Amino acid sequence: MSGKVYVIHENPQWIPPFAAAFEAEGVPFEEWLLTDGSIDLAVEPPEGVFWSRLSASAHTRDHAHSKEYGRAVLRWLTSWGRTVINGADVLELEVSKVAQHAALRHAGIDVPRTVAVFGTEELTVQAEKFGAPFISKHNQGGKGLGVRRWDSVDEFSAWVAGPDFEPSPDGITLLQELLVAKMPFITRAEFVGGEFVYAVRVDTSAGSFELCPAEACAIPGADGVEPEPLFRRRDDVDPALIDRFLAFLAAEGVGIAGIEFIETRDGRTVTYDVNTNTNYNPDVEATAPRSGPRQIARWLGSLLPREVAGVRG
């Protein structure tokens, strides 16, 4: 019996902060890099806890099939009774904004008005019905890619018919209401194992509407001037909203997530993304009362078989 935490992913660049956290917490772990390989469906998986960090943006790293590999591996693990964090059903949330929207709406959480268009034939017709301004985005997104603002249906139609059109990896394009923030930032709330860890305030004053709260989206300052921090910890999020998010995650079986929302000029608090492959910004981590990766390592370690946990101490 191995008694490890198995981290299932397709992007080694994300792993170092988590590897450091597992080491610091004394939790044994092993990576399962899901870019190729095989599984014997008749063979029992090793003992341990399996954590899926598969991402909707895998296709941007030439790992488009990792989503399908993940579907196979996670179902295999579950069939053998293994503890799987962010398993097969959660992967469907990660790779489909339609699935996220439906689940959030069902939970009574305010979501943006959205139309899902299959293929391209109806895009212009649906955009005319929707009315400008609006944004278009990929159903399978990640890193804020595929998000565009449109102030004219004619401009959108020309783009759809032209060579620069970017189809979603799954062929589903979303038309979504343009949310205007009361203040130029969005918020991402981080959750681990049924607990709220911290919230990150992401500055959008540079005019970004891609709403990408990842370190890779930071823009350097002009003329060598250090820009204002793009990411800051936020401590004034409404506790009632956090409770609604916690209830939502519990109902959907999501163990680790970052939920993004925006407070609009007309007084709404609108949730627009559920990210089950969450990134932690080092600047925010430096001031947070609890570290996200350390919290993950502790929680996953607590799920290991009792005798292994006893070895950890």
Side-chain angles (χ1 to χ4, degrees), residues 29-47:
F29 82 101
E30 181 179 320
E31 297 178 51
W32 278 13
L33 186 63
L34 215 55
T35 54
D36 56 19
S38 62
I39 52 175
D40 186 336
L41 300 180
V43 173
E44 187 173 357
E47 294 286 349

Side-chain angles (χ1 to χ4, degrees), residues 53-207:
R53 278 187 54 79
L54 294 169
S55 170
S57 64
H59 63 284
T60 67
R61 293 176 289 277
D62 296 325
H63 298 155
H65 292 303
S66 289
K67 174 176 68 173
E68 306 305 329
Y69 302 160
R71 284 172 169 155
V73 167
L74 296 175
R75 293 295 182 189
W76 170 65
L77 292 170
T78 301
S79 76
W80 285 96
R82 294 298 179 264
T83 298
V84 181
I85 305 304
N86 289 2
D89 292 339
V90 175
L91 177 59
E92 300 309 315
L93 277 181
E94 169 67 22
V95 300
S96 172
K97 295 190 183 300
V98 168
Q100 295 174 21
H101 189 285
L104 288 163
R105 181 201 55 77
H106 181 73
I109 295 171
D110 193 3
V111 289
R113 177 190 169 212
T114 305
V115 172
V117 183
F118 310 141
T120 59
E121 198 165 313
E122 285 194 33
L123 273 173
T124 294
V125 172
Q126 293 301 326
E128 289 172 347
K129 291 180 181 179
F130 200 93
F134 64 93
I135 64 173
S136 63
K137 61 170 57 173
H138 294 167
N139 181 54
Q140 182 184 331
K143 301 195 297 188
L145 299 174
V147 184
R148 290 173 176 255
R149 171 175 174 163
W150 302 100
D151 295 306
S152 160
V153 173
D154 289 341
E155 290 179 0
F156 173 74
S157 300
W159 174 70
V160 170
D164 295 329
F165 175 71
E166 301 171 283
S168 174
D170 61 4
I172 301 174
T173 301
L174 306 183
L175 308 180
Q176 197 167 86
E177 68 174 298
L178 177 66
L179 300 169
V180 181
K182 177 173 61 177
M183 299 292 289
F185 65 85
I186 61 96
T187 303
R188 177 171 174 146
E190 304 283 3
F191 300 89
V192 175
E195 295 184 23
F196 170 59
V197 181
Y198 54 67
V200 181
R201 181 189 189 276
V202 185
D203 193 312
T204 60
S205 60

Side-chain angles (χ1 to χ4, degrees), residues 10-23:
E10 50 73 40
N11 185 9
Q13 292 183 355
W14 284 335
I15 296 302
F18 298 99
F22 282 120
E23 183 176 355

